[in-house]
Amino acid sequence: MPKFYISFVFALLIFATFFGFVTSAQKTDDRTKSEGVTLEALGVTPEQKAQIKALWELKRQTHRQAIENLRPLNRLVKDEMASDNQVREVLKKFHQQRLAQEGRVKMAEENLIKSLPPRAQLHLTILGVLDNGLMPRYLSAAPKREGGTQKPNDK
């Protein structure tokens, strides 16, 4: 019976060691993937990099401006004495500002897409720098990663 326990413990040690190596290899592979690809490796020129940074800043500014533009709407929601005409005017102004800002972002994106290599477009779309149909992340909260394409202002 003691030989059985010794064999069992020995088999568990081998089993644990084997899966330790497998897990370590997976972590190394994950770490390699998470380091990302640099914009330079994707064929992005310094001029294009400046355009990407400008687009990113425009999107951040648009996000901040959208929050600012909601303040008058919030005041109107709380103001029970506001007339329908007053509400219409504020809403009209809000929609015009929003559409104008969206137009500027769309035009900047289209100009950038015309000059970027397809792989760079792919990565920037996944990251949300180029429109991917999802709601934008809180742009200022995205951490900067060294050597990757997390944010377009890599240096």
Side-chain angles (χ1 to χ4, degrees):
M1 196 63 138
K3 286 184 178 182
F4 173 73
Y5 288 121
I6 291 172
S7 298
F8 182 70
V9 169
F10 186 66
L12 282 176
L13 275 171
I14 292 174
F15 184 73
T17 304
F18 173 73
F19 280 104
F21 285 126
V22 170
T23 304
S24 175
Q26 286 176 343
K27 285 183 182 177
T28 302
D29 188 40
D30 290 344
R31 212 175 300 123
T32 303
K33 288 178 186 175
S34 69
E35 288 174 2
V37 178
T38 62
L39 291 173
E40 290 82 9
L42 294 171
V44 175
T45 65
E47 294 82 21
Q48 291 168 330
K49 200 172 181 180
Q51 285 180 304
I52 293 168
K53 185 176 180 178
L55 176 63
W56 185 260
E57 289 302 319
L58 179 62
K59 285 187 171 192
R60 288 181 64 200
Q61 178 187 25
T62 300
H63 180 75
R64 278 184 257 143
Q65 188 62 47
I67 292 170
E68 283 294 316
N69 291 345
L70 282 175
R71 288 192 177 145
L73 298 181
N74 284 329
R75 275 191 273 254
L76 274 177
V77 166
K78 295 173 186 172
D79 184 6
E80 295 177 10
M81 302 303 282
S83 69
D84 285 348
N85 286 336
Q86 188 179 7
V87 171
R88 269 191 211 97
E89 286 300 314
V90 171
L91 282 172
K92 182 179 179 182
K93 183 179 176 185
F94 170 77
H95 290 297
Q96 287 172 345
Q97 289 173 335
R98 188 179 54 81
L99 289 174
Q101 198 67 11
E102 284 177 5
R104 285 190 285 273
V105 170
K106 187 168 179 69
M107 192 162 48
E109 265 190 11
E110 288 173 358
N111 290 336
L112 180 61
I113 287 173
K114 289 176 187 175
S115 68
L116 284 176
R119 287 277 173 191
Q121 289 179 35
L122 175 67
H123 282 267
L124 293 173
T125 301
I126 289 171
L127 291 171
V129 176
L130 298 176
D131 185 27
N132 58 14
L134 299 175
M135 294 295 291
R137 291 182 278 177
Y138 288 100
L139 303 173
S140 61
K144 181 178 179 183
R145 287 183 5 193
E146 292 298 321
T149 56
Q150 181 75 16
K151 287 175 72 178
N153 57 354
D154 287 347
K155 297 202 176 177

